[in-house]
Amino acid sequence: AAAPRTSGAPTHTSADADLFAVERRDDGIAVVRFAVPGATQNTLRADFAPAFETLLESLEHDTEVIGVVLVSARPGSFMAGADIDMLDAQKSAADVEALSKQGQAGFRRLSKLHVPVVAAIEGACLGGGLELALACDVRIAADTAATTLGLPEVMLGLLPAAGGTQRLPRLVGIQAALDLMLTGRKLRPAQAKACGIVDTVVAPEALRDEAIRQARFAGKRSLTGSASLFGRARARIGAGVNGLTHAALEDTTLGRRLLFAQARKRTRSKTRGNYPAPERIIDVVATGFARGVQAGFDAEAKAFGELAMTPESQSLRHVYHATEALKRTTFVARNVKARAVRRVGVLGAGLMGAGIATVTIDKAGLPVRLKDVSDDGLARGLDHVQQFYARRVAKKAMTRAQADRCLHQVTGTTDYSGIGACELVVEAVFEDLDLKRAMLADVEAAADACANTDCIFATNTSSLPIAEIAAQAKRPENVIGLHYFSPVEKMPLLEIIATEQTSKKTIATAVAFGKAQGKTVIVVGDGPGFYTTRVLSPYLNEAARLLSEGAGVRQIDQALTDHGFPVGPMTLRDEVGVDVGVKVGPILEAAFGERMSAPDASQRMIEAGHLGRKSGKGFYDYTAKTKKGEKRPANADLERLLAQQRDGGRAPDAAEIVERCTLAFANEAAHCLSERVIREPMHGDIGAVFGLGFLPFTGGPFRYIDAVGVARFVDRLHALVERHGPRFEPAPILKTMASARSASHGRFYS
Ligand code: NAI
């Protein structure tokens, strides 16, 4: 039916005009537009409660209204979640629990309104924002790039606490709801429709009219309601357990128990007990099914209060705040303006080059000229980009037409045609100083031919000092390091390395470019290994020493992954390539001495051709056939080799492995701060967590040292010096801080 004409200007505006504006239309639909005053994003805050209650009160008493539409007045932001600062300001678990109960009560009241409520979603609809939408009867999403839906609370060590843990499983099924809440994954509109969170996806210009139309015809739903509501999306959930579908399992008490038990087991094997939130999420959902919705709500509020006070959540919130702060940092004076980048060249279409090309197209929306030395190399790189978009289409993250438009943004070449005109060229060819210098000279010549003397040459080297690559450059001010991490599409960090000669404008341009690619950017000083490769090195070396002292390959990995590293050092070295690490080692050892030296097992491994995953054998044996569930065996040849070398002393245990590796890592981070390789502890924390997976629940090495206490941390290092030698000597900055021994001076963060 065609929408009746509205009566022009809103007939009534609520008292709190800034937050909610209500337009009452002649057809009985009340359109509630909301925008948080003075903010760029809508976020939920407790002090909105009175205005929300006033709004609900006026709607409850309105006998003319037949339906309500909730729509954001702020483009690109429906509601991005609860205000984290508000949470940080709470003093006790009880205060946080009370916040949750307030949110629950407001949304429950909304869900009980006598007329249907339609959420018209455009922009970020996350956390509390999605919980608001879940309390509505119908959800319509606009198909825009900014529209994402999800419950990311788990990433902050929390859970959805405004009814989300109860409403979502009843809307989309337990399995799908747990998946969203435990991963914190964000969905694009089509994905949200596929799993049943939104009812309709429309073009952005049709959002409002479609919402009004549906508000007129929608019916009411209730939380405890019917099987049809509960079962809507379950048919689409994949196969279940023991021949039963998940839908069938979710229908019976016994089946649900089985599902929750499995989810707990899977979660526990991932979190290793280091993160309390995921298990609490499962508990709270389970409570709602075992003891009813109200008990579920109560459990949700209580768990929220307790989780908010855990050190894990506080650390994850620290990481969140640091990331937000880095988004606002340009790393140069305000008056330095970045150059506009319109075209990007990428040299080397290998693993890294193809990934860099992909994020440049996909996130920054810029055209890429991709060059490789051979047709085969180029074809592999282009295929990588194509595969990326094929996966996006398969996951319904974009349409085929959108993907094709993106794919047109990349062109390939085996010569320098089209490279000289690019404002920025990133090289990702083999790790070889002479080759990289040759690339730089070629790019400068190509740029000269296009009178493009501002062209920035960025190198993705993982270890070579940028100044050495730039030593023969005509324009060293245009040379910079852009160190990406593999896989580029997934890893959030970009470490930018500026030399003494890199111009501020080049830094500003590189920072803006990295942010446009969706990366969290830190800028660090030049030197062997910069920051990330340098802190990783003593950690990996310590693991190698432990191995030579009799610890097992798997034992070392297990100890450190149990402690919270995403992968163990042995697996990491196999992935990177044993030979690659051995190339970097001497460069770092020459600069920093013993703590950077690797025991000689890796040299012997290379001689035996055991280079890691790529050669079939490294620390592990990738050629061995393993049954499902069975762990990959360690490389037996290596174990024999090591056994010959061992002195028969006591083999290290898990606690010692963790102590030596973690302290070596954090101490090196402090060395980097002492030497101003990093400017602030916060940059070091983010680099370590996002680039290397350093124990996210600690918030990074500097926050970890703060938590231990600098004086105690130094004592622990001294104990290691006594047993293992001077490589554990505390970084100068730690000694200074520890000698102050006062609470305010002995911390990296106040
Ligand atoms: P890769 O071996 O996968 O790719 C290198 C590509 O460069 C190959 O396709 C090769 O054909 C091409 N190439 C070689 N010479 C060339 C030339 N003259 N012109 C154009 N293309 C040429 O290597 P990967 O892993 O992508 O590494 C590239 C760079 O990125 C290295 O400097 C490496 O140290 C660095 N890096 C690697 C990381 C990783 O995890 N693999 C992480 C961070 C940096």
mmCIF file of all heavy atoms in Angstrom, residues 223-261:
data_model
loop_
_atom_site.group_PDB
_atom_site.id
_atom_site.type_symbol
_atom_site.label_atom_id
_atom_site.label_comp_id
_atom_site.label_asym_id
_atom_site.label_seq_id
_atom_site.Cartn_x
_atom_site.Cartn_y
_atom_site.Cartn_z
ATOM 1 N N LEU A 223 8.847 -12.134 23.974
ATOM 2 C CA LEU A 223 10.111 -12.824 24.227
ATOM 3 C C LEU A 223 9.925 -14.298 24.572
ATOM 4 O O LEU A 223 10.650 -15.165 24.112
ATOM 5 C CB LEU A 223 10.838 -12.098 25.368
ATOM 6 C CG LEU A 223 12.195 -12.626 25.748
ATOM 7 C CD1 LEU A 223 13.129 -12.596 24.569
ATOM 8 C CD2 LEU A 223 12.763 -11.801 26.881
ATOM 9 N N THR A 224 8.932 -14.555 25.414
ATOM 10 C CA THR A 224 8.721 -15.933 25.845
ATOM 11 C C THR A 224 7.933 -16.711 24.799
ATOM 12 O O THR A 224 7.700 -17.899 24.956
ATOM 13 C CB THR A 224 7.929 -15.970 27.162
ATOM 14 O OG1 THR A 224 6.849 -15.068 27.036
ATOM 15 C CG2 THR A 224 8.812 -15.595 28.326
ATOM 16 N N GLY A 225 7.613 -15.990 23.735
ATOM 17 C CA GLY A 225 6.603 -16.403 22.769
ATOM 18 C C GLY A 225 6.686 -17.755 22.110
ATOM 19 O O GLY A 225 7.227 -18.710 22.630
ATOM 20 N N SER A 226 6.210 -17.777 20.924
ATOM 21 C CA SER A 226 5.855 -19.041 20.284
ATOM 22 C C SER A 226 7.054 -19.748 19.666
ATOM 23 O O SER A 226 8.110 -19.175 19.478
ATOM 24 C CB SER A 226 4.863 -18.732 19.180
ATOM 25 O OG SER A 226 5.540 -17.938 18.235
ATOM 26 N N ALA A 227 6.826 -20.972 19.328
ATOM 27 C CA ALA A 227 7.862 -21.766 18.683
ATOM 28 C C ALA A 227 8.230 -21.174 17.330
ATOM 29 O O ALA A 227 9.378 -21.246 16.914
ATOM 30 C CB ALA A 227 7.381 -23.192 18.517
ATOM 31 N N SER A 228 7.268 -20.570 16.676
ATOM 32 C CA SER A 228 7.557 -20.052 15.347
ATOM 33 C C SER A 228 8.597 -18.933 15.434
ATOM 34 O O SER A 228 9.501 -18.846 14.624
ATOM 35 C CB SER A 228 6.288 -19.533 14.685
ATOM 36 O OG SER A 228 5.821 -18.413 15.398
ATOM 37 N N LEU A 229 8.466 -18.139 16.457
ATOM 38 C CA LEU A 229 9.434 -17.065 16.657
ATOM 39 C C LEU A 229 10.807 -17.659 16.937
ATOM 40 O O LEU A 229 11.810 -17.285 16.357
ATOM 41 C CB LEU A 229 8.990 -16.199 17.842
ATOM 42 C CG LEU A 229 10.074 -15.359 18.515
ATOM 43 C CD1 LEU A 229 10.596 -14.303 17.576
ATOM 44 C CD2 LEU A 229 9.519 -14.734 19.770
ATOM 45 N N PHE A 230 10.817 -18.622 17.819
ATOM 46 C CA PHE A 230 12.059 -19.239 18.248
ATOM 47 C C PHE A 230 12.752 -19.950 17.096
ATOM 48 O O PHE A 230 13.954 -19.957 16.967
ATOM 49 C CB PHE A 230 11.736 -20.215 19.382
ATOM 50 C CG PHE A 230 12.922 -20.936 19.912
ATOM 51 C CD1 PHE A 230 14.137 -20.286 20.096
ATOM 52 C CD2 PHE A 230 12.839 -22.273 20.241
ATOM 53 C CE1 PHE A 230 15.228 -20.949 20.602
ATOM 54 C CE2 PHE A 230 13.937 -22.944 20.746
ATOM 55 C CZ PHE A 230 15.132 -22.278 20.914
ATOM 56 N N GLY A 231 11.924 -20.493 16.226
ATOM 57 C CA GLY A 231 12.498 -21.392 15.233
ATOM 58 C C GLY A 231 12.824 -20.780 13.891
ATOM 59 O O GLY A 231 13.317 -21.463 13.026
ATOM 60 N N ARG A 232 12.573 -19.494 13.750
ATOM 61 C CA ARG A 232 12.647 -18.921 12.416
ATOM 62 C C ARG A 232 13.930 -19.241 11.642
ATOM 63 O O ARG A 232 13.879 -19.664 10.507
ATOM 64 C CB ARG A 232 12.497 -17.415 12.511
ATOM 65 C CG ARG A 232 11.287 -16.992 11.768
ATOM 66 C CD ARG A 232 10.874 -15.572 11.944
ATOM 67 N NE ARG A 232 11.718 -14.770 12.756
ATOM 68 C CZ ARG A 232 12.296 -13.660 12.311
ATOM 69 N NH1 ARG A 232 12.141 -13.297 11.071
ATOM 70 N NH2 ARG A 232 13.021 -12.934 13.111
ATOM 71 N N ALA A 233 15.059 -19.012 12.276
ATOM 72 C CA ALA A 233 16.304 -19.123 11.524
ATOM 73 C C ALA A 233 16.971 -20.474 11.680
ATOM 74 O O ALA A 233 17.960 -20.744 11.040
ATOM 75 C CB ALA A 233 17.250 -18.034 11.978
ATOM 76 N N ARG A 234 16.414 -21.302 12.512
ATOM 77 C CA ARG A 234 17.166 -22.506 12.842
ATOM 78 C C ARG A 234 17.312 -23.450 11.671
ATOM 79 O O ARG A 234 18.279 -24.185 11.569
ATOM 80 C CB ARG A 234 16.509 -23.234 14.012
ATOM 81 C CG ARG A 234 16.682 -22.473 15.293
ATOM 82 C CD ARG A 234 16.062 -23.217 16.393
ATOM 83 N NE ARG A 234 14.711 -23.623 16.017
ATOM 84 C CZ ARG A 234 13.956 -24.389 16.763
ATOM 85 N NH1 ARG A 234 14.415 -24.851 17.897
ATOM 86 N NH2 ARG A 234 12.760 -24.707 16.378
ATOM 87 N N ALA A 235 16.352 -23.407 10.784
ATOM 88 C CA ALA A 235 16.421 -24.303 9.639
ATOM 89 C C ALA A 235 17.707 -24.088 8.852
ATOM 90 O O ALA A 235 18.224 -24.984 8.227
ATOM 91 C CB ALA A 235 15.223 -24.063 8.744
ATOM 92 N N ARG A 236 18.232 -22.884 8.922
ATOM 93 C CA ARG A 236 19.428 -22.576 8.124
ATOM 94 C C ARG A 236 20.716 -22.938 8.844
ATOM 95 O O ARG A 236 21.790 -22.833 8.303
ATOM 96 C CB ARG A 236 19.453 -21.086 7.794
ATOM 97 C CG ARG A 236 18.266 -20.630 6.993
ATOM 98 C CD ARG A 236 18.466 -19.202 6.536
ATOM 99 N NE ARG A 236 17.200 -18.635 6.159
ATOM 100 C CZ ARG A 236 16.436 -17.980 7.002
ATOM 101 N NH1 ARG A 236 16.818 -17.789 8.232
ATOM 102 N NH2 ARG A 236 15.287 -17.511 6.599
ATOM 103 N N ILE A 237 20.600 -23.325 10.097
ATOM 104 C CA ILE A 237 21.817 -23.662 10.829
ATOM 105 C C ILE A 237 22.232 -25.067 10.444
ATOM 106 O O ILE A 237 21.408 -25.959 10.367
ATOM 107 C CB ILE A 237 21.572 -23.562 12.350
ATOM 108 C CG1 ILE A 237 21.164 -22.144 12.683
ATOM 109 C CG2 ILE A 237 22.804 -23.968 13.120
ATOM 110 C CD1 ILE A 237 20.550 -22.023 14.042
ATOM 111 N N GLY A 238 23.526 -25.233 10.267
ATOM 112 C CA GLY A 238 24.036 -26.475 9.675
ATOM 113 C C GLY A 238 23.747 -27.728 10.473
ATOM 114 O O GLY A 238 23.036 -27.714 11.468
ATOM 115 N N ALA A 239 24.358 -28.816 10.053
ATOM 116 C CA ALA A 239 24.112 -30.103 10.689
ATOM 117 C C ALA A 239 24.552 -30.090 12.145
ATOM 118 O O ALA A 239 25.464 -29.370 12.516
ATOM 119 C CB ALA A 239 24.884 -31.172 9.944
ATOM 120 N N GLY A 240 23.928 -30.873 12.948
ATOM 121 C CA GLY A 240 24.203 -30.842 14.367
ATOM 122 C C GLY A 240 25.073 -31.981 14.842
ATOM 123 O O GLY A 240 26.136 -32.241 14.286
ATOM 124 N N VAL A 241 24.600 -32.667 15.830
ATOM 125 C CA VAL A 241 25.416 -33.671 16.492
ATOM 126 C C VAL A 241 24.697 -35.013 16.418
ATOM 127 O O VAL A 241 23.477 -35.059 16.500
ATOM 128 C CB VAL A 241 25.565 -33.286 17.983
ATOM 129 C CG1 VAL A 241 26.572 -34.198 18.655
ATOM 130 C CG2 VAL A 241 25.964 -31.840 18.127
ATOM 131 N N ASN A 242 25.444 -36.068 16.256
ATOM 132 C CA ASN A 242 24.891 -37.421 16.262
ATOM 133 C C ASN A 242 23.684 -37.569 15.332
ATOM 134 O O ASN A 242 22.672 -38.161 15.690
ATOM 135 C CB ASN A 242 24.468 -37.826 17.676
ATOM 136 C CG ASN A 242 25.663 -37.841 18.603
ATOM 137 O OD1 ASN A 242 26.797 -37.892 18.131
ATOM 138 N ND2 ASN A 242 25.418 -37.765 19.892
ATOM 139 N N GLY A 243 23.788 -36.956 14.175
ATOM 140 C CA GLY A 243 22.710 -37.104 13.205
ATOM 141 C C GLY A 243 21.527 -36.194 13.446
ATOM 142 O O GLY A 243 20.634 -36.092 12.624
ATOM 143 N N LEU A 244 21.492 -35.525 14.586
ATOM 144 C CA LEU A 244 20.375 -34.607 14.844
ATOM 145 C C LEU A 244 20.741 -33.223 14.338
ATOM 146 O O LEU A 244 21.903 -32.818 14.433
ATOM 147 C CB LEU A 244 20.125 -34.506 16.356
ATOM 148 C CG LEU A 244 19.492 -35.721 17.014
ATOM 149 C CD1 LEU A 244 19.555 -35.572 18.523
ATOM 150 C CD2 LEU A 244 18.049 -35.845 16.556
ATOM 151 N N THR A 245 19.793 -32.492 13.816
ATOM 152 C CA THR A 245 20.080 -31.110 13.436
ATOM 153 C C THR A 245 20.109 -30.282 14.706
ATOM 154 O O THR A 245 19.590 -30.673 15.748
ATOM 155 C CB THR A 245 18.982 -30.548 12.525
ATOM 156 O OG1 THR A 245 17.780 -30.528 13.283
ATOM 157 C CG2 THR A 245 18.832 -31.366 11.275
ATOM 158 N N HIS A 246 20.730 -29.100 14.602
ATOM 159 C CA HIS A 246 20.735 -28.223 15.770
ATOM 160 C C HIS A 246 19.316 -27.847 16.174
ATOM 161 O O HIS A 246 19.003 -27.735 17.344
ATOM 162 C CB HIS A 246 21.551 -26.964 15.487
ATOM 163 C CG HIS A 246 23.010 -27.198 15.640
ATOM 164 N ND1 HIS A 246 23.548 -27.629 16.821
ATOM 165 C CD2 HIS A 246 24.026 -27.100 14.757
ATOM 166 C CE1 HIS A 246 24.848 -27.767 16.661
ATOM 167 N NE2 HIS A 246 25.165 -27.464 15.412
ATOM 168 N N ALA A 247 18.478 -27.650 15.139
ATOM 169 C CA ALA A 247 17.101 -27.262 15.448
ATOM 170 C C ALA A 247 16.460 -28.302 16.358
ATOM 171 O O ALA A 247 15.827 -27.975 17.360
ATOM 172 C CB ALA A 247 16.313 -27.121 14.155
ATOM 173 N N ALA A 248 16.669 -29.583 16.026
ATOM 174 C CA ALA A 248 16.074 -30.647 16.838
ATOM 175 C C ALA A 248 16.682 -30.643 18.234
ATOM 176 O O ALA A 248 15.986 -30.802 19.237
ATOM 177 C CB ALA A 248 16.288 -31.991 16.159
ATOM 178 N N LEU A 249 17.994 -30.439 18.296
ATOM 179 C CA LEU A 249 18.664 -30.424 19.598
ATOM 180 C C LEU A 249 18.135 -29.299 20.479
ATOM 181 O O LEU A 249 17.936 -29.468 21.676
ATOM 182 C CB LEU A 249 20.172 -30.214 19.407
ATOM 183 C CG LEU A 249 20.985 -31.425 19.016
ATOM 184 C CD1 LEU A 249 22.406 -31.013 18.691
ATOM 185 C CD2 LEU A 249 20.997 -32.444 20.151
ATOM 186 N N GLU A 250 17.910 -28.149 19.845
ATOM 187 C CA GLU A 250 17.518 -26.987 20.637
ATOM 188 C C GLU A 250 16.104 -27.103 21.191
ATOM 189 O O GLU A 250 15.721 -26.374 22.077
ATOM 190 C CB GLU A 250 17.668 -25.721 19.789
ATOM 191 C CG GLU A 250 19.125 -25.443 19.505
ATOM 192 C CD GLU A 250 19.369 -24.116 18.799
ATOM 193 O OE1 GLU A 250 18.420 -23.311 18.743
ATOM 194 O OE2 GLU A 250 20.484 -23.905 18.328
ATOM 195 N N ASP A 251 15.333 -28.041 20.655
ATOM 196 C CA ASP A 251 13.954 -28.176 21.095
ATOM 197 C C ASP A 251 13.798 -28.958 22.388
ATOM 198 O O ASP A 251 12.747 -28.912 23.012
ATOM 199 C CB ASP A 251 13.113 -28.836 19.989
ATOM 200 C CG ASP A 251 12.659 -27.780 18.997
ATOM 201 O OD1 ASP A 251 12.695 -26.595 19.368
ATOM 202 O OD2 ASP A 251 12.310 -28.158 17.875
ATOM 203 N N THR A 252 14.797 -29.721 22.780
ATOM 204 C CA THR A 252 14.631 -30.536 23.987
ATOM 205 C C THR A 252 15.633 -30.116 25.063
ATOM 206 O O THR A 252 16.717 -29.623 24.750
ATOM 207 C CB THR A 252 14.890 -32.024 23.680
ATOM 208 O OG1 THR A 252 16.273 -32.174 23.340
ATOM 209 C CG2 THR A 252 14.030 -32.540 22.549
ATOM 210 N N THR A 253 15.260 -30.342 26.299
ATOM 211 C CA THR A 253 16.131 -29.966 27.411
ATOM 212 C C THR A 253 17.453 -30.702 27.309
ATOM 213 O O THR A 253 18.518 -30.123 27.473
ATOM 214 C CB THR A 253 15.457 -30.353 28.748
ATOM 215 O OG1 THR A 253 14.118 -29.851 28.686
ATOM 216 C CG2 THR A 253 16.171 -29.744 29.924
ATOM 217 N N LEU A 254 17.356 -31.987 27.005
ATOM 218 C CA LEU A 254 18.559 -32.802 26.917
ATOM 219 C C LEU A 254 19.452 -32.328 25.769
ATOM 220 O O LEU A 254 20.664 -32.212 25.913
ATOM 221 C CB LEU A 254 18.152 -34.263 26.694
ATOM 222 C CG LEU A 254 19.203 -35.275 27.095
ATOM 223 C CD1 LEU A 254 19.427 -35.247 28.601
ATOM 224 C CD2 LEU A 254 18.784 -36.670 26.626
ATOM 225 N N GLY A 255 18.814 -32.047 24.653
ATOM 226 C CA GLY A 255 19.548 -31.579 23.476
ATOM 227 C C GLY A 255 20.258 -30.272 23.768
ATOM 228 O O GLY A 255 21.422 -30.076 23.405
ATOM 229 N N ARG A 256 19.544 -29.378 24.444
ATOM 230 C CA ARG A 256 20.161 -28.084 24.766
ATOM 231 C C ARG A 256 21.349 -28.280 25.692
ATOM 232 O O ARG A 256 22.384 -27.653 25.541
ATOM 233 C CB ARG A 256 19.135 -27.149 25.396
ATOM 234 C CG ARG A 256 18.148 -26.567 24.394
ATOM 235 C CD ARG A 256 17.454 -25.358 24.936
ATOM 236 N NE ARG A 256 16.520 -25.675 25.996
ATOM 237 C CZ ARG A 256 15.242 -25.973 25.803
ATOM 238 N NH1 ARG A 256 14.749 -26.002 24.576
ATOM 239 N NH2 ARG A 256 14.463 -26.251 26.825
ATOM 240 N N ARG A 257 21.177 -29.192 26.645
ATOM 241 C CA ARG A 257 22.275 -29.444 27.577
ATOM 242 C C ARG A 257 23.532 -29.890 26.820
ATOM 243 O O ARG A 257 24.643 -29.469 27.096
ATOM 244 C CB ARG A 257 21.843 -30.508 28.594
ATOM 245 C CG ARG A 257 22.201 -30.091 30.013
ATOM 246 C CD ARG A 257 21.776 -31.128 31.002
ATOM 247 N NE ARG A 257 20.480 -30.838 31.593
ATOM 248 C CZ ARG A 257 19.676 -31.750 32.118
ATOM 249 N NH1 ARG A 257 20.013 -33.027 32.087
ATOM 250 N NH2 ARG A 257 18.541 -31.404 32.660
ATOM 251 N N LEU A 258 23.276 -30.748 25.840
ATOM 252 C CA LEU A 258 24.386 -31.245 25.016
ATOM 253 C C LEU A 258 25.056 -30.100 24.252
ATOM 254 O O LEU A 258 26.277 -29.974 24.206
ATOM 255 C CB LEU A 258 23.838 -32.294 24.047
ATOM 256 C CG LEU A 258 24.841 -33.041 23.194
ATOM 257 C CD1 LEU A 258 25.807 -33.823 24.054
ATOM 258 C CD2 LEU A 258 24.103 -33.991 22.238
ATOM 259 N N LEU A 259 24.209 -29.238 23.679
ATOM 260 C CA LEU A 259 24.746 -28.092 22.936
ATOM 261 C C LEU A 259 25.601 -27.190 23.821
ATOM 262 O O LEU A 259 26.692 -26.764 23.436
ATOM 263 C CB LEU A 259 23.589 -27.238 22.407
ATOM 264 C CG LEU A 259 22.991 -27.591 21.076
ATOM 265 C CD1 LEU A 259 21.980 -26.531 20.664
ATOM 266 C CD2 LEU A 259 24.076 -27.672 20.011
ATOM 267 N N PHE A 260 25.082 -26.887 25.014
ATOM 268 C CA PHE A 260 25.826 -26.006 25.917
ATOM 269 C C PHE A 260 27.134 -26.673 26.369
ATOM 270 O O PHE A 260 28.169 -26.021 26.473
ATOM 271 C CB PHE A 260 24.984 -25.609 27.134
ATOM 272 C CG PHE A 260 23.890 -24.633 26.783
ATOM 273 C CD1 PHE A 260 22.560 -24.905 27.093
ATOM 274 C CD2 PHE A 260 24.189 -23.435 26.149
ATOM 275 C CE1 PHE A 260 21.555 -24.011 26.758
ATOM 276 C CE2 PHE A 260 23.191 -22.536 25.807
ATOM 277 C CZ PHE A 260 21.859 -22.815 26.110
ATOM 278 N N ALA A 261 27.063 -27.975 26.619
ATOM 279 C CA ALA A 261 28.276 -28.683 27.059
ATOM 280 C C ALA A 261 29.340 -28.632 25.970
ATOM 281 O O ALA A 261 30.512 -28.387 26.241
ATOM 282 C CB ALA A 261 27.946 -30.127 27.417
#
